[in-house]
Amino acid sequence: MSGTTMVVLIVLISVGSGVIYDMYKKHLEFKSRTLKDSKEANEHVAAVTRELVELKERVQTLEAIVTDSSYSVKQEINKL
């Protein structure tokens, strides 16, 4: 093997390993960003779910008030 061939091989191996290392770093950054986005999405879904439960409870309370017989009597008295 001549000296020129060895130099070319060394350069190719160095450049190739540098490219592979950069690709691996980008992959890890992408994976980290994806996990972060996933956690934020899960937190948002949990917040929306809590709000939905609270709103359902409020609607049930309002339905109980409106369907109460004394509520309609109060409205009729207020009309007079």
Side-chain angles (χ1 to χ4, degrees), residues 4 72 74 78:
T4 308
S72 60
K74 286 180 186 176
N78 287 336

Side-chain angles (χ1 to χ4, degrees), residues 61-74:
T61 303
L62 291 173
E63 287 175 345
I65 291 171
V66 170
T67 57
D68 189 15
S69 62
S70 64
Y71 179 78
S72 60
V73 172
K74 286 180 186 176

Side-chain angles (χ1 to χ4, degrees), residues 2-47:
S2 69
T4 308
T5 307
M6 284 178 51
V7 169
V8 170
L9 282 176
I10 291 171
V11 169
L12 285 177
I13 290 171
S14 299
V15 170
S17 60
V19 168
I20 290 171
Y21 178 71
D22 284 342
M23 289 173 54
Y24 182 69
K25 278 186 6 183
K26 293 291 182 185
H27 171 71
L28 290 178
E29 289 173 6
F30 175 75
K31 195 173 184 181
S32 171
R33 193 170 51 243
T34 304
L35 284 175
K36 180 183 171 193
D37 292 346
S38 176
K39 288 179 184 177
E40 289 175 358
N42 288 341
E43 290 172 358
H44 180 68
V45 167

